Amino acid sequence: MKVLSYLPSAQFGIIAGSILLSGGLVVAAQAFTRPANPPSTLTPSQNAPAAQNTGDWLATLREIQAQNSSYTLPTGPNEGTVKTLLGAAQSQNITDTIGRSLLINLSTAKAQGLGADVPTQDKLIADAAAQIEQNRGAQVYTVGNLILATNTPDAEHTYGNTVMATLGLHLKASYYDTLLAIGYATDYKDKTKLSTLPAIAKEYKALADDLSRVAVPVTLAPLHLQIINNYARMADLYDDMAVMLDDPLRGLGGLELYESLIQETARVFTNIAQQLSKDGILFTKDEPGNTWSSLLP
């Protein structure tokens, strides 16, 4: 997939460009209006104080501070007005919302003589990032939803076979197909490929439901619970990824969390495989549970 295809929409690009242009105009205006040899605000004696003894510098410093105490920062825009503008910038489209908010916040900072400093820029970026940060949401399943079994070799053996057989029934819950749909849609600006995502989401949800009905040994219950909640959360993220072209920041946020959950779930499966191996649970090559051996280091 091309990196350029994940850049924000053209509308967001225009907004971002306007921000950069406004910043450039401010800098240019400052450079144009600044005198070539700015007059000093200090008296000759202050510019080059002729100290007669080591104590004169302190008196001179206090005099300079007294004269400069009248200088103040530019008065910022009315706080209520800024809040009203930020409220009006909110919309269902996260990309548009962040573009408008950046423009308002940068303009506000410039009005206060800020905007070019690193702390202000870092804050603007942090504020924008906070609006697209995805969260995992509440757990869909709890221990009370699981079917718990005693910790016996037979129970672990049955669990290992049943989990792998269940995964085999939901091959459409596919990471590869997900990335293929998003990659094609973004590379060729073709929304039709994204129409396959709802079916994949439905398959992930069905997978989580089926895994919740698998009898799981008590010792493996926490890991099993994490797996099914991860799958349930992945299913919810497809609504975000499906709007990748219309709302790129929302789509990318969903994709980032989806990939994070995929990696996390793979690690949990590896932990279960190690526990089964540690307990001496073996599977023949004809059993679905034989797949666990491929997850061992």
Side-chain angles (χ1 to χ4, degrees), residues 32-52:
F32 181 78
T33 57
R34 184 184 299 113
N37 296 304
S40 173
T41 58
L42 305 180
T43 62
S45 62
Q46 291 168 343
N47 280 325
Q52 300 298 321

Side-chain angles (χ1 to χ4, degrees), residues 154-176:
D154 286 342
E156 290 187 58
H157 188 272
T158 300
Y159 169 79
N161 276 326
T162 306
V163 167
M164 287 303 170
T166 302
L167 290 174
L169 296 175
H170 297 281
L171 297 180
K172 291 182 180 179
S174 171
Y175 172 74
Y176 172 80

Side-chain angles (χ1 to χ4, degrees), residues 23 43 87 129 132 161 177 180 184-185 223 228 231:
T43 62
I132 61 173
N161 276 326
D177 288 345
L180 180 63
Y184 186 93
L223 297 176
I228 62 175
Y231 282 142

Side-chain angles (χ1 to χ4, degrees), residues 271-293:
N271 290 338
I272 293 177
Q274 291 175 334
Q275 185 61 49
L276 293 174
S277 177
K278 178 181 178 181
D279 293 343
I281 307 302
L282 302 176
F283 303 92
T284 67
K285 64 179 181 180
D286 297 325
E287 291 182 298
N290 186 54
T291 306
W292 290 104
S293 62

Side-chain angles (χ1 to χ4, degrees), residues 69-154:
S69 62
S70 59
Y71 295 133
T72 59
L73 290 174
T75 302
N78 182 274
E79 184 176 348
T81 302
V82 173
K83 288 183 178 180
T84 300
L85 290 173
L86 290 174
Q90 300 297 312
S91 71
Q92 295 298 319
N93 190 301
I94 295 178
T95 304
D96 289 344
T97 298
I98 291 180
R100 296 166 184 167
S101 299
L102 274 174
L103 183 60
I104 295 169
N105 288 330
L106 182 59
S107 298
T108 302
K110 287 293 185 182
Q112 300 176 69
L114 305 172
D117 57 297
V118 173
T120 300
Q121 293 176 359
D122 287 345
K123 184 179 184 303
L124 292 176
I125 294 172
D127 290 343
Q131 297 183 66
I132 61 173
E133 183 177 357
Q134 293 282 347
N135 59 72
R136 294 172 179 267
Q139 287 191 336
V140 178
Y141 299 89
T142 65
V143 175
N145 299 123
L146 301 182
I147 301 173
L148 300 179
T150 55
N151 294 315
T152 64
D154 286 342

